[in-house]
Structures are given as C-alpha cells and as structure tokens.
Amino acid sequence: MKYILIIIFVLNVASCTSVEKYNKQRTALVLPEKLREDVDFTYKKLKEMHPKLYWYISKNELDFKFDSLKTTINKPLTPIEFYFKLQPVIAKIREGHLSLGIPMKRFSKKEIKALKNKKGLFGRFEYYVENDRLYITENKDSVEHTKPGTEILSINNVPISDYMKKYRPLISSDGYNTTFHNYYMKDVFFNFYVAEKGILDSAKVETLFNNERKIVNLKRESKNKEELEKEKIEKKRTEEKKVNDYVAFTSSYNRNFKFLDKDSTIAYMKIQSFSKNFSDRFYKESFEKLKNAASSYLILDVRNNYGGSLSEIKNLYSYLAPEPFILIKPSQLTSTTTPLKTNYFRQSNPFQFIIKTLLYPGYFFSQIFSSYKGKDGIAYYKMKESKSTKPKKDAFTGKVYVLINGGSFSASSIISSKLKHDKRVTLVGEETGGANDGTVAGFYSYQKLPNSKIELPIGLLLVQPNIDFTKTQKGVVPDVEITQSMQDILDKKDIQLDWVKAKIEKERENKKIAD
C-alpha cells in the first residue's frame, strides 16, 4: 500500500509539473526562424498523410499560401499568436475536420475543482450569429436581466465585429459550404476569446436591445448548495439516461424518441450527436415501438448534429433501408503504412503505456492487414461500413422526413447524402454544414509542431458516401429549403418541423378524401 501511495504521489507531482511547463511554454516567445520551421513541418506532414489535400485548392495556390505566410513571420511570437497566423492558411484547405489544436491554458487539479464550483461567465447564455453580429437567444438564469434578442456590441470596449473578423478565418469548413460558419461560430466564439484573453472573472459588456444601449457588468459567480446538489443528481446514470445518452453539461438528452400524435402515426427522433453510447439499444427499442404502433411517418432530426460514429449511422440506416445497402465507398489512404501513424501511445499514463506495449503487436498486425492496395494502385483501409449490410427486421417502411441545417456536419451529412441519393427520404431545412460528397476523417495522426508545440490532428481516411457524386463542393442540399431566423428561435417556433407536420396532415386529409 505504501508503494502505491508513493507512485500516486509521484504521478501527481509529474502532472502538476507538466501543466506548469506547458503553460510556461505557451506564453514564451518563439524565434521567427523556428516558427518558419513549424510552417514547413505542417505542410510536409499534410502532404505525407492527408489523402485529399488538394480537393478544394490547387497545389500551386496552397504552395503560395504557405510560402507567403513564412514571409510575414519576421519577429518572435508566442504559440497563441502563431496559431492566429497559421490556422487561417489551414482553413483555406477547406477541409472541415482539419484544424490546429487551440493552444489553451491548462489547469491544475486544484484550479479545475475551483472552476467547477463556479458558474460560467459567457457560457450561461445561448447565442446566435449573423454576419459579424452576436446575439443572446436564451438566458435561463436571468443573468443581469438580459433579455433574449439582445445584441452584444462589445466586450471590454472591443467591438464584437473586430473579433468576428479575426475569428472567421480560423474556421475550417468543407468546400464552399455556405451555412456552416454561423452555426459553428456561435459555439466556438468564446473558445477563441478565452484562448486570447484567458478565463476572466468579470467582463464589461455593451449590449443593444430595442435601440437601447446598456453596459452589463458580468461576474463569475459561485454555485450555491442547491445547484451543486442538482449537478450531482444529474450525473447519476439511470437506465433512461444511458439509453438516451444524457449529457449532464447541457442537462439534455443526446437522443430522443417520441410520438407527436395520440394515435402514434407520426414519430419524431432527435439525434444531437452520433456518440455510439448505448445507441444500438436505443435504435432497437425505438424501431420496435414504431413497428408495434404501425406508424406511417418518421421525422428524423439531425440539425446541429456535428457527427460522430460511422458504425452508428450504418446501424441507423439499416432501420431505414428497404434493401441491402453499402453506406460508404472504400476509404482511401495516402499509403498502406499510414494507419501506423495514429499515435498509439498518445496521452498514456505509465500504467496505460505498459498495457498498450503488451497489446501493440496485435494492434500493429490489425492495422497492417486492414490496409491494402487496390487494382487502381490507390491505398485503401478496410471498413465495415463499406461492406453490404442487410436491413433490420424492424426496418421502417413508412415515409421519412429528415431535418437538416448548417450545423449538420460529418456523419450527419454522410447519412443525409446517402438517404437523399437513394431517394428514401425528403430532406427539409438548410444546406448541411458537411460536404455532400464526403470528408477526410476516420482516425487521426496527432502531430506536434516541433517549436511552437501546437497540435495538428490530421484525418487519415477519405470517407465518402456510396453515391453518385454531385461535385458541387457544397453541403447536402435539402429537397425543401426552409431557413430558421433568429426571431423564430426567440418565438420558440420550429418552422422546419412545423412545415413537415403540416405536410403530413395535408397528406392524411387527402388520403381520407381519396378513401
């Protein structure tokens, strides 16, 4: 027991030292020649591992952008300053999964515990972004009595438009998509802000509501006993929370299923993220309910779903397919050895490192045997999702509507694209944030730039739905385009869902007349 305590003590000291060392390095200046080396390292690794680097930009143009960037680096910069110079070039590749890791400050266990006992500063609001303007759409805690619809004009005397112009070039999106930026910006705006300014305890915010300007002084407050107790209760895992994948941070379920009418004719399924957690059971139980109720309509809602597990969307598709299907095309790699560059030992503590070392031979051979050269000379990786799959016995045969928007990304776009191509559904809403013709993701190689120490995750697989490609370089376009405005959100009107419900009601009325 004594030796175990010694080991724990040593690991804790090492962890604290690591945090302190990282934070010191994060604020240290790096010489310009070293930063230029990092630029070359970045481009070299991208050419080595990214299977579709010149999908949306020519080699000559990307060569020019990296070379031009190096000419602008003529003085020492901190890693965060360097991030704001390099990331815009990465974003020009127009591959939504490809972004540098933001070099955020790290916290000790003591600091993390202290922050957990306090409320957020900006995170207590819900936001809406339009062009270079930022609005508050929800204020559950009535912080400073700020009303939904309030525009934030500035933070600590700096106009929001200045931040927007600085942050927009940092966002990577798929191709020439027109909808992703605003959805993603509302979620990451304050990530960029905190990376620059740190976690603040207070902020002076200038707001505008009904043509009236007001100064709001936000302060980070401590949570009271009731709030802390509520958090403990929310973290407890019940069967319902497991199956519906409860997210304590947002106090919401990742998956929801319900009937929208008394006779169970119309079913509604909302998937916030394809997280895979207990998803097999959720779909099994949900589609059993659909079959038992003899429902005629299913509304599948993947709005604001940034994606996730390919195996989950294959499973979901098997409940919607009328016949055997292949979800994705064979996944391309830059070479058959690329899968061995996935940083197998990354972020392993000493115990995990020992276990992984023992298991490494199995991992090595599984990766080797999963890669192969096709007859076309291209390297591919074997994926279960690229094999023929039979529909489930409880597969739904009724009419399906799918709700999509600019926040539907990655796996959400892949399943939407496949369903549209197979003419299985009617898509309603906005162009998806993810590309119609696929993306580069799958699994990653986490590279660390040698001098600035910024992390560069590179997707290694070209993942494309098994469709005839549109080559539009845009997202999945809905069959019925309906755009939700901020006023709709403030009025709590879901005009996209309402349109589907009205359409179904009309169909049912016409059927009654015909009968």
Side-chain angles (χ1 to χ4, degrees):
M1 183 67 182
K2 182 175 75 173
Y3 297 110
I4 294 175
L5 291 173
I6 291 172
I7 291 170
I8 292 172
F9 174 77
V10 170
L11 290 175
N12 281 332
V13 170
S15 175
C16 293
T17 304
S18 175
V19 169
E20 187 179 339
K21 182 181 178 182
Y22 170 85
N23 288 332
K24 187 176 181 181
Q25 178 272 324
R26 178 182 173 274
T27 56
L29 290 170
V30 182
L31 294 174
E33 58 268 27
K34 294 297 182 182
L35 295 174
R36 289 192 287 269
E37 285 179 12
D38 279 5
V39 173
D40 289 335
F41 176 88
T42 298
Y43 198 16
K44 176 187 174 184
K45 291 300 178 181
L46 287 172
K47 288 187 283 189
E48 180 184 318
M49 287 183 275
H50 196 285
K52 201 75 169 174
L53 188 58
Y54 307 112
W55 197 351
Y56 302 111
I57 187 171
S58 70
K59 183 179 183 302
N60 287 340
E61 188 179 355
L62 191 55
D63 286 349
F64 176 77
K65 288 190 179 299
F66 275 107
D67 288 340
S68 297
L69 171 63
K70 287 194 292 183
T71 64
T72 70
I73 302 172
N74 47 32
K75 65 177 183 178
L77 301 171
T78 65
I80 188 64
E81 291 170 334
F82 180 55
Y83 167 85
F84 277 95
K85 291 182 76 71
L86 178 55
Q87 177 54 32
V89 175
I90 300 292
K92 288 295 183 183
I93 296 170
R94 298 183 182 276
E95 222 310 303
H97 290 81
L98 182 62
S99 291
L100 293 169
I102 306 174
M104 305 286 282
K105 178 185 174 182
R106 291 180 185 171
F107 297 92
S108 65
K109 291 180 180 179
K110 185 178 179 180
E111 289 172 321
I112 292 170
K113 186 177 180 180
L115 284 170
K116 282 183 177 179
N117 291 329
K118 290 186 176 182
K119 299 177 183 179
L121 192 63
F122 301 108
R124 297 165 72 185
F125 303 105
E126 293 294 327
Y127 299 97
Y128 181 89
V129 168
E130 187 172 21
N131 299 320
D132 287 333
R133 303 171 80 173
L134 181 67
Y135 298 88
I136 292 171
T137 57
E138 192 169 359
N139 181 8
K140 290 181 180 179
D141 295 343
S142 297
V143 180
E144 295 295 317
H145 306 292
T146 304
K147 295 181 180 180
T150 295
E151 181 181 1
I152 299 179
L153 300 176
S154 68
I155 302 174
N156 292 333
N157 300 319
V158 179
I160 287 295
S161 58
D162 288 2
Y163 289 117
M164 288 290 183
K165 286 168 186 171
K166 185 175 184 178
Y167 297 162
R168 277 197 182 277
L170 303 174
I171 296 178
S172 297
S173 64
D174 283 346
Y176 294 88
N177 170 274
T178 59
T179 59
F180 181 67
H181 271 243
N182 283 347
Y183 281 92
Y184 194 58
M185 178 62 84
K186 72 179 178 62
D187 291 335
V188 299
F189 178 91
F190 287 103
N191 288 358
F192 295 139
Y193 184 85
V194 169
E196 272 197 286
K197 310 294 183 182
I199 293 183
L200 307 178
D201 287 325
S202 63
K204 186 178 80 170
V205 179
E206 184 184 10
T207 64
L208 178 67
F209 184 78
N210 284 347
N211 295 318
E212 182 181 341
R213 289 176 181 253
K214 180 181 176 183
I215 297 297
V216 176
N217 292 300
L218 295 181
K219 293 182 179 180
R220 190 179 297 277
E221 302 172 8
S222 296
K223 297 173 184 174
N224 58 42
K225 288 183 179 180
E226 289 77 12
E227 289 166 332
L228 292 171
E229 189 60 35
K230 184 182 176 183
E231 284 185 358
K232 286 182 181 179
I233 294 170
E234 286 187 339
K235 287 178 181 178
K236 291 180 180 178
R237 302 284 282 174
T238 63
E239 280 303 302
E240 181 187 14
K241 285 183 176 180
K242 287 178 182 177
V243 175
N244 294 297
D245 196 13
Y246 185 74
V247 183
F249 179 74
T250 58
S251 300
S252 64
Y253 289 101
N254 189 25
R255 292 185 286 267
N256 283 284
F257 177 84
K258 61 183 178 181
F259 292 104
L260 299 182
D261 55 347
K262 291 180 181 179
D263 59 3
S264 302
T265 302
I266 308 170
Y268 173 82
M269 182 180 290
K270 170 70 175 174
I271 313 295
Q272 292 274 15
S273 171
F274 294 112
S275 66
K276 192 67 175 72
N277 297 330
F278 291 90
S279 62
D280 290 354
R281 181 175 163 186
F282 171 81
Y283 293 122
K284 183 177 184 296
E285 292 178 358
S286 297
F287 282 95
E288 279 179 358
K289 291 175 184 176
L290 273 168
K291 186 173 183 179
N292 293 335
S295 302
S296 302
Y297 299 94
L298 170 63
I299 303 170
L300 174 63
D301 190 347
V302 292
R303 292 174 296 180
N304 304 308
N305 182 327
Y306 287 145
S309 166
L310 278 177
S311 64
E312 180 174 338
I313 64 169
K314 185 190 82 164
N315 187 36
L316 172 55
Y317 200 96
S318 68
Y319 283 103
L320 302 172
E323 57 190 24
F325 67 95
I326 297 174
L327 181 67
I328 62 171
K329 292 183 180 294
S331 298
Q332 293 183 28
L333 298 156
T334 54
S335 76
T336 54
T337 59
T338 303
L340 296 175
K341 300 174 182 178
T342 55
N343 313 92
Y344 177 75
F345 293 100
R346 178 176 175 265
Q347 293 185 339
S348 299
N349 61 40
F351 178 74
Q352 291 169 332
F353 186 87
I354 293 169
I355 298 299
K356 285 185 176 182
T357 300
L358 296 174
L359 297 176
Y360 184 76
Y363 163 80
F364 176 85
F365 287 109
S366 70
Q367 293 293 71
I368 288 294
F369 292 135
S370 293
S371 306
Y372 65 97
K373 266 283 180 68
K375 293 180 180 179
D376 53 7
I378 296 173
Y380 293 95
Y381 190 81
K382 294 176 184 177
M383 301 276 284
K384 292 179 181 178
E385 293 75 26
S386 61
K387 296 178 180 178
S388 182
T389 303
K390 294 180 181 178
K392 300 286 188 182
K393 63 180 180 66
D394 290 332
F396 182 69
T397 57
K399 193 158 187 177
V400 182
Y401 290 89
V402 178
L403 301 177
I404 56 174
N405 66 9
S408 306
F409 184 72
S410 192
S412 298
S413 296
I414 289 171
I415 192 170
S416 299
S417 176
K418 176 64 175 168
L419 286 165
K420 181 178 182 179
H421 175 267
D422 292 350
K423 297 179 171 58
R424 178 66 186 94
V425 305
T426 300
L427 296 175
V428 179
E430 305 164 7
E431 174 192 345
T432 62
N436 184 87
D437 293 351
T439 190
V440 174
F443 46 81
Y444 291 77
S445 176
Y446 292 86
Q447 298 296 313
K448 184 174 284 187
L449 308 194
N451 301 299
S452 62
K453 307 301 180 185
I454 295 175
E455 197 167 71
L456 171 64
I458 303 174
L460 302 182
L461 294 182
L462 174 60
V463 182
Q464 296 182 284
N466 186 34
I467 62 169
D468 297 324
F469 298 134
T470 61
K471 298 181 181 179
T472 58
Q473 299 190 338
K474 293 178 68 176
V476 185
V477 177
D479 299 301
V480 181
E481 186 172 0
I482 301 173
T483 302
Q484 190 177 41
S485 68
M486 184 178 72
Q487 193 58 50
D488 293 326
I489 296 171
L490 296 177
D491 294 339
K492 300 192 183 302
K493 288 182 180 178
D494 191 337
I495 60 171
Q496 295 156 339
L497 178 59
D498 288 344
W499 183 92
V500 175
K501 288 159 69 176
K503 176 72 172 175
I504 291 172
E505 188 57 37
K506 190 173 182 180
E507 287 178 9
R508 293 169 73 178
E509 287 176 4
N510 291 339
K511 188 176 180 181
K512 286 179 183 178
I513 294 170
D515 292 342

